[in-house]
Amino acid sequence: MKTKRNKGFTLIELLIVLVILGLLASLVAPKMFSKVDSSMIKTAQTQMKLIETALDTYRLDVGQHPDSLDELLKSDKKNWDGPYLPKEVPLDPWGNPYIYSRPGDNGKPFNLMSYGKDGRSGGDDDNADIIHQ
């Protein structure tokens, strides 16, 4: 009499596969997560360019840059022809508001920046301030 043998993986084979997958993940994951942080910095820089365009369009219409970013959406100033942004003023990629001040430093008409990942002034690497040039 012949017995049927169940076909499948043994526990040892499954453990070996899991170890191999774990090793691969430990090699690939750090590279992937570093790309996430750099892409968030690039997103902040791109959003600040969009805001700068809206600020410059506002200045062309009104004659000066706004006192706050909210004036890009609603203002009662003469010659205001907005809104200058399609939606609300975006938050930075970490969920914090952009820092806007007028007049800017070193003779610039305004300053626009994000405090980075930590949401506080200063910092290094991913926590460094992102200043629009």
Side-chain angles (χ1 to χ4, degrees), residues 33-45:
F33 287 121
S34 70
K35 297 293 182 192
V36 169
D37 289 333
S38 67
S39 69
M40 291 182 87
I41 292 169
K42 288 179 183 174
T43 299
Q45 292 169 337

Side-chain angles (χ1 to χ4, degrees), residues 2-132:
K2 291 186 177 180
T3 60
K4 284 189 173 181
R5 186 165 180 193
N6 290 337
K7 295 183 179 180
F9 297 107
T10 65
L11 181 60
I12 298 292
E13 291 170 328
L14 288 174
L15 288 174
I16 290 171
V17 169
L18 288 175
V19 167
I20 291 171
L21 288 174
L23 289 171
L24 287 173
S26 69
L27 294 173
V28 173
K31 294 228 181 240
M32 296 307 289
F33 287 121
S34 70
K35 297 293 182 192
V36 169
D37 289 333
S38 67
S39 69
M40 291 182 87
I41 292 169
K42 288 179 183 174
T43 299
Q45 292 169 337
T46 301
Q47 284 180 331
M48 285 192 283
K49 286 179 185 175
L50 170 75
I51 294 170
E52 177 191 29
T53 301
L55 289 167
D56 288 340
T57 305
Y58 179 100
R59 182 187 57 81
L60 289 172
D61 288 348
V62 176
Q64 65 182 23
H65 285 97
D67 296 323
S68 73
L69 293 178
D70 293 332
E71 288 184 41
L72 296 173
L73 300 170
K74 185 176 181 183
S75 178
D76 55 0
K77 297 222 173 147
K78 184 179 177 188
N79 295 329
W80 187 86
D81 194 26
Y84 297 95
L85 290 171
K87 297 179 181 179
E88 294 294 316
V89 178
L91 297 175
D92 71 12
W94 301 278
N96 302 312
Y98 285 101
I99 309 304
Y100 171 77
S101 61
R102 183 182 77 89
D105 299 330
N106 301 323
K108 295 192 309 189
F110 62 86
N111 288 336
L112 184 60
M113 64 183 291
S114 165
Y115 284 147
K117 186 176 184 178
D118 64 355
R120 292 182 293 180
S121 181
D124 297 322
D125 300 323
D126 299 332
N127 293 328
D129 298 344
I130 303 163
I131 300 170
H132 183 66

